[in-house]
Amino acid sequence: MAEQLSGKKFFGKTVYSGITMGNVMVLRGSQERIRRTKIADAEQEIKRVKDAVESAKQQLGELYDKAVKEVGESSAAIFEVHQMMLGDDDYLDAIYHVIRTEMVNAEYAAAITGDNFADMFAGMDDEYMQARSADVKDISARLVRNLSGQGGVDFSTMEPSIIVADDLSPSETVQMDKKKILAFVTVHGSTNSHTAILARMMSIPALIGVPVDLNALQTGMTAIVDGAAGEVIFEPTQTQCSEAEEKIRNEREKIRLLQELKGKKNETSDGRSIDIYANIGSVSDVGYVLENDAGGIGLFRSEFLYLGRNDFPSEEEQFQAYKQVVQTMGKKKVVIRTLDIGSDKQADYFELGKEDNPAMGYRAIRICLKQPEIFKTQLRALLRAAAYGNLSVMYPMIISADEVKQIKTIVAEVEQELKKDEIPYRIPEQGIMIETPAAVMVSDELAELADFFSIGTNDLTQYTLAIDRQNQRLEDFYNPHHKAILRMIQMVVDNAHKCGKWVGICGELGADTALTETFVNMGVDELSVAPPMVLKVREKVRAM
Ligand code: PEP
Ligand code: MG
């Protein structure tokens, strides 16, 4: 099998463009169904559960210690909660009961008990208890992994590896020791998947949509992942290895030189400056923001808090997440975008229904204005967190001044509620995303209503050029450098400045160093980019 693969190149879509070489770790079957099998010795099976619980507690303890270092105590607390839940007698007795009465295997008993408890929590009135539903599922899944020994890779002790999988779930990626991941290669997945976001945050070479047969691969094989070329080579030849080594050396040297720019200003030689902030998708990404010396967070895609789960995150859960981010960032600005669910970012419990054209459908601010109860929960959490730091809010997919006025009315209602309940809050700076041609064309009116603009070039390009940003076939046509886009950006900057408002770019184009000079010359005030791009953009500005 390995011989057939030797030196063969597979191509995929680049998520992050570094290059690496190393051993492959194949993750298989995380979504495999758990089999129900009959057993003869119930006590023996119960002992297996007990052992699995002990290992799980130990794993969670290690995860807790790691998370405290990376994201702080309050975010790490979830692992302590999981440890406590694993010690819960009701939960464990329920598993033992299933084993004894049905004489079935421990994996099945743990899985079915997890589902039952999760349903029970989900049906409770109390918001906090409802949120525990996902936790029960998580601990049960951990038990099943420990019991089955498959998928239960001990990420804390694994050797640095290239992870190859069909796709990766958020819970799988979160568990991995990020320092030990050399690259991600997945057969499926999208550029907006959690794995993709994670890879960009951590500067890990990553490819998705790679048409490789996982059954033909084995853990321990060698591979080269070249993000820039969008290729992975399994069992590379000697020549391919030498070429890759040369590329790796060059890349290391470039990274070393970039480190020298930490602490330096984003200033041109003639004294013009621009803020360079970073984009994040989760609380734990803040570490990468600080590590790469970004001046702030220009886009926190809050919808990732809503993804990969079975129900809405509660106000408290969101408040803790936002507070943690602003507190960790200290005085630095944190722009949190209200949820941009819909289109390619789907969460079943929103029950959005099937649409023929979801990118132009019921999404983002449209959901918030039509279902204000969802919006208000998030706004309450945001206004409360704003009392703890330099938080700004921004609203996605705006097309009219009327929408901004409606938002302001809802924000005023939320403010009244918080005041009445005597809950500490602060009305933050509020901006809007300019990511529709309509918003560009009425940006003069919008500038009077918003505190700032952030240009979402990913969607702006899609809507202006009428090209689906997800459609691989259209990649040759998707040209964010199109004159129409650049003229729109200039128009937005001019209209914002006429009203004394600042304007940033938070779409991928902001990190396109071929345009850094153009943006500075246009008068763009801020660029928000994936954390590993911060120093590269700074280098470009300083070279002007
Ligand atoms: C954009 O559209 O440019 C943007 C930043 O938002 P997202 O990529 O999350 O749609
Ligand atoms: Mg967008």
Side-chain angles (χ1 to χ4, degrees):
M1 206 68 96
E3 276 131 45
Q4 283 165 8
L5 279 173
S6 184
K8 193 167 164 207
K9 290 181 180 177
F10 292 86
F11 294 93
K13 196 164 176 186
T14 303
V15 168
Y16 187 75
S17 63
I19 176 161
T20 193
M21 189 159 63
N23 285 346
V24 166
M25 177 184 270
V26 189
L27 297 187
R28 290 194 178 87
S30 51
Q31 275 103 35
E32 255 173 34
R33 284 181 67 82
I34 294 142
R35 286 219 190 91
R36 182 180 195 275
T37 49
K38 282 281 177 195
I39 48 115
D41 185 347
E43 294 318 305
Q44 173 62 30
E45 212 59 15
I46 286 170
K47 171 147 188 336
R48 286 184 61 223
V49 175
K50 288 182 178 163
D51 290 345
V53 167
E54 282 321 303
S55 313
K57 282 187 182 163
Q58 199 182 330
Q59 291 158 355
L60 287 162
E62 284 161 13
L63 277 175
Y64 175 80
D65 292 341
K66 184 152 77 74
V68 168
K69 282 192 216 117
E70 284 177 9
V71 293
E73 242 170 72
S74 72
S75 288
I78 189 65
F79 297 118
E80 272 192 328
V81 173
H82 283 192
Q83 268 182 323
M84 257 154 49
M85 291 170 93
L86 269 172
D88 182 78
D89 286 339
D90 287 341
Y91 171 69
L92 294 174
D93 285 346
I95 299 178
Y96 304 156
H97 182 76
V98 174
I99 294 176
R100 286 199 183 103
T101 55
E102 298 185 32
M103 293 303 280
V104 285
N105 55 326
E107 288 85 344
Y108 175 79
I112 201 82
T113 308
D115 286 348
N116 290 342
F117 271 63
D119 288 348
M120 182 181 77
F121 278 117
M124 289 182 177
D125 287 336
D126 184 275
E127 259 191 20
Y128 177 82
M129 296 311 273
Q130 284 172 5
R132 301 286 70 79
S133 173
D135 295 321
V136 172
K137 280 205 176 141
D138 221 346
I139 58 165
S140 303
R142 179 178 294 283
L143 274 190
V144 172
R145 281 199 305 274
N146 286 349
L147 281 162
S148 62
Q150 58 109 289
V153 181
D154 186 353
F155 291 111
S156 58
T157 55
M158 81 181 209
E159 290 299 311
S161 306
I162 293 167
I163 306 288
V164 186
D166 187 53
D167 201 354
L168 289 165
S169 73
S171 150
E172 280 168 324
T173 40
V174 158
Q175 281 183 69
M176 293 178 192
D177 183 342
K178 293 161 192 132
K179 292 191 192 72
K180 304 219 176 125
I181 304 171
L182 298 176
F184 285 118
V185 176
T186 62
V187 180
H188 295 107
S190 86
T191 41
N192 281 317
S193 70
H194 200 87
T195 306
I197 296 273
L198 195 79
R200 279 198 213 102
M201 293 294 149
M202 302 183 298
S203 345
I204 290 176
L207 296 176
I208 57 166
V210 179
V212 62
D213 175 8
L214 289 189
N215 292 324
L217 302 179
Q218 278 151 22
T219 292
M221 275 181 164
T222 53
I224 295 168
V225 179
D226 184 346
E231 69 184 28
V232 50
I233 309 173
F234 294 101
E235 297 291 68
T237 62
Q238 196 52 48
T239 320
Q240 286 168 328
C241 287
S242 312
E243 281 167 10
E245 275 161 11
E246 175 68 17
K247 283 191 190 172
I248 291 170
R249 269 196 299 277
N250 291 342
E251 199 174 79
R252 285 215 183 110
E253 180 56 13
K254 276 194 209 143
I255 292 169
R256 193 190 62 74
L257 288 171
L258 279 178
Q259 298 308 305
E260 292 171 6
L261 293 179
K262 283 190 183 169
K264 302 241 166 86
K265 289 186 178 160
N266 310 310
E267 204 172 79
T268 64
S269 51
D270 62 355
R272 288 174 297 157
S273 67
I274 188 163
D275 285 324
I276 305 178
Y277 292 174
N279 294 347
I280 64 166
S282 75
V283 179
S284 59
D285 295 336
V286 179
Y288 303 111
V289 176
L290 298 174
E291 206 174 278
N292 289 284
D293 199 30
I297 292 171
L299 168 65
F300 178 176
R301 289 181 162 98
S302 73
E303 60 275 12
F304 281 99
L305 295 179
Y306 291 73
L307 298 182
R309 50 186 297 147
N310 298 321
D311 206 350
F312 295 95
S314 66
E315 175 187 327
E316 189 57 26
E317 202 178 322
Q318 293 190 57
F319 165 63
Q320 292 298 343
Y322 305 146
K323 181 173 142 203
Q324 164 93 36
V325 174
V326 293
Q327 284 187 327
T328 314
M329 291 299 289
K331 292 200 174 79
K332 292 180 176 169
K333 194 189 277 296
V334 176
V335 181
I336 303 182
R337 169 173 81 184
T338 57
L339 64 99
D340 188 7
I341 286 286
S343 188
D344 53 314
K345 287 173 258 179
Q346 293 285 338
D348 289 347
Y349 59 87
F350 271 80
E351 293 179 0
L352 299 179
K354 191 161 160 34
E355 293 179 305
D356 285 342
N357 210 341
M360 295 192 180
Y362 189 53
R363 59 174 291 197
I365 202 68
R366 300 167 187 179
I367 298 175
C368 291
L369 293 176
K370 284 281 177 204
Q371 291 174 262
E373 65 290 353
I374 297 176
F375 195 27
K376 279 185 166 182
T377 304
Q378 181 168 37
L379 286 172
R380 280 175 68 97
L382 287 167
L383 265 56
R384 287 172 60 196
Y388 293 84
N390 190 356
L391 186 153
S392 304
V393 175
M394 77 177 166
Y395 306 106
M397 287 294 293
I398 296 294
I399 56 169
S400 72
D402 185 52
E403 285 173 344
V404 185
K405 288 178 192 156
Q406 286 182 53
I407 293 169
K408 288 199 163 179
T409 307
I410 298 174
V411 171
E413 284 167 17
V414 170
E415 179 178 15
Q416 285 315 313
E417 286 166 22
L418 290 170
K419 207 181 263 172
K420 193 164 130 271
D421 298 342
E422 295 182 11
I423 297 172
Y425 73 93
R426 180 177 69 80
I427 295 293
E429 180 186 44
Q430 291 170 77
I432 58 175
M433 288 198 65
I434 303 287
E435 50 184 347
T436 63
V440 174
M441 298 313 288
V442 296
S443 52
D444 52 345
E445 278 178 41
L446 295 172
E448 295 188 8
L449 297 168
D451 295 325
F452 66 92
F453 286 158
S454 188
I455 306 176
T457 48
N458 307 336
D459 278 318
L460 186 58
T461 307
Q462 136 163 291
Y463 297 125
T464 305
L465 305 185
I467 290 175
D468 180 353
R469 64 192 256 193
Q470 302 273 100
N471 189 336
Q472 269 180 290
R473 269 173 94 180
L474 299 177
E475 238 150 57
D476 289 346
F477 296 93
Y478 186 93
N479 172 19
H481 287 212
H482 195 293
K483 241 184 266 170
I485 306 296
L486 298 178
R487 284 185 193 169
M488 283 177 156
I489 295 174
Q490 186 67 70
M491 185 172 173
V492 172
V493 171
D494 293 344
N495 281 332
H497 287 176
K498 267 183 221 150
C499 281
K501 309 292 166 69
W502 65 269
V503 47
I505 297 178
C506 63
E508 296 301 304
L509 199 64
D512 187 333
T513 48
L515 286 174
T516 308
E517 190 158 351
T518 307
F519 293 147
V520 173
N521 289 336
M522 281 179 165
V524 173
D525 302 289
E526 176 250 15
L527 296 171
S528 192
V529 300
M533 290 305 294
V534 169
L535 295 174
K536 291 185 190 167
V537 179
R538 176 173 299 165
E539 182 184 41
K540 203 75 194 178
V541 173
R542 293 175 64 86
M544 275 177 71

